[in-house]
Amino acid sequence: SSTDRQSVIKCKAAVAWEPRKPLSIEDVEVAPPKVHEVRIKIVATGVCHTDLEYLYGAGKAMKFRPFPLVLGHEAAGIVESVGPEVTKFSPGDKVIPLFLPQCGECERCRSPKTNQCRKNWANTQVGVLADGTSRISCKGQQVYQFLGVSSFSQYTVVPDTSLAKIRSDAPLDKVCLLGCGVSTGYGAAINTGKVEKDSSCAVFGLGAVGLAAIMGCKVAGATRIIGVDINTAKFEKAKEFGASECVNPNQCSRPIQEVLVDMTGGGVDYALECVGSPGVMSAALESTIDAWGTCVIAGWTETEAMSVVVEKILMGRTLKGTYFGGWKSVEGVPKLVDDYMNKKLKLDEFITNILPLDQINVAFADMTSGNSIRTVISLSTEETSG
Ligand code: NAD
Ligand code: ZN
Ligand code: ZN
């Protein structure tokens, strides 16, 4: 195998050649890491709704990103080699790549108010690293890197500010979920919503992000946690995670916000939107109590607007958004790994299927049909050559 830091690694990756087409498994070449970059062997990656949306909603709900593209941003792996001037990582380290960096130096990193580090931001959004190019190529063509990560590849290269080093006993096939969905939902409740003890909460959308939000509400001591989903099959798991009751808006004769207001005698203290639909976002806001209700948007859409009746805000409600659950990524992720290892945080329960890379389109289909919570893709390195 190719472990020489100067060499190009040949391996398998799932390439998105164009929007709205299934991924295709290709032999790709992964170039050595440049200055302040780290090449990692991806061991496991979750498939997140955002991957699906960037592929099938490209140019619609999501801005159009350049193709061909290697998607995937919820992963864990092992450092294979490091580029010049990398001081915090060495080959063999267990790591979680981060779609949101924490450089530790910019104004935002120095502020306790936000996790929105802007290091390499513009390049990351267009699928390239700091020098304006990607490290992945296929058939002689540059393949863009999704959110600076691209974990649907057996190897990838990321900036050293977009990587969290984690403890050596962490199971990578589980902690990969802390690279996005679980950290996002959990942090949406505890960091962004700041859910309080004895409060009432409504969580819209019971996928991985929503279930993690329920877990956060429960850890924060909420007494009433109402799960909301149009797929009743999601209710059982939501209750396992701590939902006290669940409601299907399609089985209600009135708008879901009215149902929730009645159920709680005025509205919930916290509503968390984990769907990514503007209509659901408005309903979530309107399901909170006037005077102090807080609505947190975790669902992701880039081009659409949600409607807000001014009076809803005027009366004292708060509307907030969350990106990566408000965690400062490099510091936050290893702590979340500790919480999992100390059994304070569930991860195994999110995983409904484990598939090899060549079955990745099945993971997309299962997410679309609602048959899965999280599929974890196991990236065997046996096919690696070169
Ligand atoms: P998912 O597809 O697994 O789950 C979404 C759930 O919403 C499903 O159970 C679906 O049945 C339900 N749903 C659909 N329409 C609904 C409606 N009208 N009312 C109630 N429920 C409805 O997705 P996921 O991976 O959990 O991601 C959820 C959202 O969070 C996506 O929009 C994703 O892009 C976003 N996300 C945001 C961040 C962030 O940093 N803010 C990070 C990760 C994911
Ligand atoms: Zn994600
Ligand atoms: Zn920064």
Side-chain angles (χ1 to χ4, degrees):
S1 69
S2 310
T3 46
D4 184 289
R5 59 183 275 171
Q6 300 309 318
S7 70
V8 166
I9 290 181
K10 291 180 180 165
C11 67
K12 301 281 184 195
V15 176
W17 288 104
E18 53 184 311
R20 288 173 278 282
K21 291 277 164 62
L23 304 183
S24 98
I25 307 301
E26 305 284 0
D27 291 311
V28 297
E29 299 199 324
V30 181
K34 296 192 179 174
V35 62
H36 281 298
E37 293 176 357
V38 179
R39 186 159 63 182
I40 56 183
K41 179 170 107 174
I42 300 288
V43 172
T45 179
V47 178
C48 171
H49 194 104
T50 309
D51 296 308
L52 179 84
E53 207 56 50
Y54 271 90
L55 182 62
Y56 290 95
K60 295 177 177 175
M62 295 296 188
K63 288 175 210 152
F64 189 85
R65 258 75 172 186
F67 285 77
L69 178 66
V70 173
L71 289 159
H73 62 283
E74 186 180 85
I78 297 168
V79 172
E80 178 272 337
S81 61
V82 300
E85 290 173 47
V86 171
T87 55
K88 292 181 179 150
F89 300 94
S90 323
D93 286 348
K94 284 191 178 177
V95 286
I96 292 183
L98 305 163
F99 65 88
L100 174 67
Q102 182 188 356
C103 76
E105 285 166 7
C106 73
E107 192 185 357
R108 288 163 178 214
C109 280
R110 284 185 278 110
S111 166
K113 290 180 183 171
T114 183
N115 64 343
Q116 291 293 306
C117 173
R118 277 295 178 270
K119 180 92 179 177
N120 298 323
W121 184 258
N123 281 339
T124 299
Q125 295 313 299
V126 294
V128 292
L129 301 185
D131 71 341
T133 65
S134 150
R135 297 295 157 268
I136 306 178
S137 58
C138 182
K139 299 174 179 161
Q141 194 179 342
Q142 169 163 273
V143 179
Y144 293 93
Q145 288 186 235
F146 183 52
L147 301 179
V149 178
S150 286
S151 59
F152 296 164
S153 176
Q154 291 176 319
Y155 286 85
T156 189
V157 176
V158 300
D160 62 357
T161 44
S162 298
L163 197 61
K165 185 171 165 175
I166 61 169
R167 54 198 276 176
S168 58
D169 58 346
L172 299 177
D173 56 345
K174 307 289 191 314
V175 298
C176 58
L177 300 188
L178 292 170
C180 184
V182 175
S183 302
T184 297
Y186 188 64
I190 67 171
N191 296 333
T192 312
K194 298 191 167 42
V195 170
E196 287 178 330
K197 196 171 178 301
D198 298 327
S199 60
S200 60
C201 303
V203 175
F204 291 74
L206 303 175
V209 177
L211 293 176
I214 289 177
M215 187 161 64
C217 293
K218 187 152 186 239
V219 163
T223 40
R224 209 162 165 199
I225 305 169
I226 308 170
V228 180
D229 202 297
I230 54 170
N231 181 355
T232 304
K234 306 266 175 155
F235 291 179
E236 192 186 324
K237 197 139 221 174
K239 287 178 184 162
E240 275 170 41
F241 272 83
S244 42
E245 59 227 284
C246 291
V247 191
N248 184 335
N250 290 345
Q251 290 169 3
C252 299
S253 53
R254 289 175 305 146
I256 184 66
Q257 56 270 46
E258 289 179 23
V259 172
L260 290 166
V261 166
D262 282 358
M263 280 171 76
T264 53
V268 293
D269 299 311
Y270 301 93
L272 298 119
E273 203 274 359
C274 307
V275 176
S277 154
V280 178
M281 292 171 187
S282 301
L285 175 67
E286 292 177 14
S287 72
T288 63
I289 190 159
D290 65 342
W292 63 73
T294 297
C295 174
V296 178
I297 307 294
W300 194 332
T301 169
E302 293 183 333
T303 56
E304 299 167 303
M306 69 177 277
S307 78
V308 175
V309 175
V310 172
E311 192 216 9
K312 301 292 175 191
I313 297 294
L314 195 77
M315 292 299 168
R317 292 180 180 86
T318 301
L319 177 61
K320 306 178 91 175
T322 193
Y323 193 70
F324 198 51
W327 300 104
K328 285 189 182 276
S329 59
V330 172
E331 290 164 13
V333 166
K335 288 185 188 148
L336 289 164
V337 170
D338 285 342
D339 286 349
Y340 167 70
M341 299 302 283
N342 297 329
K343 301 196 166 17
K344 277 175 64 190
L345 200 78
K346 296 183 204 289
L347 289 179
D348 305 31
E349 291 81 353
F350 289 92
I351 302 169
T352 47
N353 205 2
I354 300 162
L355 292 174
L357 183 63
D358 62 9
Q359 301 274 303
I360 194 157
N361 291 305
V362 175
F364 279 85
D366 283 346
M367 176 166 272
T368 308
S369 67
N371 280 337
S372 65
I373 298 296
R374 273 294 190 265
T375 301
V376 168
I377 304 294
S378 166
L379 291 107
S380 159
T381 53
E382 277 155 36
E383 309 94 280
T384 307
S385 59

